[in-house]
Amino acid sequence: MTVISRIAAATTLALFLIAGSAHAQGASVAFGGLKHDASQPVEITADELTVDQATGSAVFTGNVVAGQGEMRLSAGRVQVQYATENGQATGRIDQLVATGNVTLVNGAEAAEAEKAVYSVGGSQIVMTGNVILTQGINALSGEKLTVDLTSGSGRMEGRVRTIFQTGGNK
C-alpha cells in the first residue's frame, strides 16, 4: 500500500471516528510495526534548506521526507536540532521537529498529526494535534500519540476514538 493510499484510508477512517465509536481518555497500544533501530543514519530530502550555525539547527521546508531505515516521516517543515557539548553543536542529531501535514509510516502502520517531535537519542516520537493512527484495517484517533520505537509500544491520549474491524459476516 502506498503512502497516498494509506493517507486516503486514514482520512476515510477518520470520518467514521468522528461519527462516533468507542471513547476513552487514554489507551495503550502495541506498535510492533513501529519498532525501529534509531542508530541508523537519517536521510532528509526537501525543496529548501536553511542552516543557522548560531542555534545549531537546520530547517528543511517544502515536501520534506526524513527516512531512517524503514521509517518515513513527511511534513511541510522539519527542523533538525543538533546535540551540543560545551555549547558547541556536535553534528549528531538530537531531535527532528516536524510540522504541517505530518505523516509517519513504518511497515503496515501509518500515523498523521499536526506536529511530531522525534527524539533520536531517546528513540521516541510524540505526535500531537488531531492524531490518526492506522494499523492495517484498524484505526485510532486522539490528541497525542507517544511511541517508544525501541520497545514498539505506545500510548494514545486525549479523547481516544477507535474502530476495530472484526472480520465481518460471512
Side-chain angles (χ1 to χ4, degrees):
M1 184 180 278
T2 67
V3 172
I4 293 171
S5 59
R6 283 187 181 137
I7 292 169
T11 303
T12 301
L13 288 171
L15 295 174
F16 290 115
L17 293 172
I18 292 167
S21 51
H23 301 284
Q25 288 299 326
S28 294
V29 181
F31 292 94
L34 290 178
K35 203 166 184 180
H36 177 70
D37 178 6
S39 68
Q40 296 178 350
V42 176
E43 179 181 343
I44 301 175
T45 59
D47 294 336
E48 186 175 314
L49 167 64
T50 305
V51 177
D52 185 341
Q53 295 292 342
T55 62
S57 69
V59 177
F60 292 86
T61 54
N63 302 305
V64 184
V65 177
Q68 187 179 39
E70 298 281 323
M71 186 173 70
R72 295 288 175 267
L73 178 70
S74 61
R77 179 181 190 272
V78 173
Q79 179 177 1
V80 178
Q81 297 174 341
Y82 294 97
T84 58
E85 288 180 15
N86 301 323
Q88 299 293 319
T90 64
R92 190 179 77 249
I93 295 174
D94 183 41
Q95 59 180 212
L96 303 176
V97 179
T99 54
N101 298 318
V102 178
T103 303
L104 174 68
V105 177
N106 197 13
E109 298 175 328
E112 297 177 40
E114 294 171 9
K115 180 178 181 181
V117 177
Y118 174 26
S119 299
V120 178
S123 296
Q124 181 182 66
I125 296 178
V126 178
M127 300 182 79
T128 55
N130 299 312
V131 181
I132 299 171
L133 171 69
T134 57
Q135 295 178 302
I137 59 172
N138 299 314
L140 288 165
S141 72
E143 285 304 311
K144 180 179 179 183
L145 171 64
T146 304
V147 179
D148 179 330
L149 294 171
T150 303
S151 68
S153 64
R155 180 166 180 82
M156 181 77 79
E157 300 174 67
R159 199 65 182 158
V160 176
R161 296 174 186 239
T162 185
I163 295 176
F164 292 109
Q165 300 297 331
T166 61
N169 297 330
K170 293 186 179 184

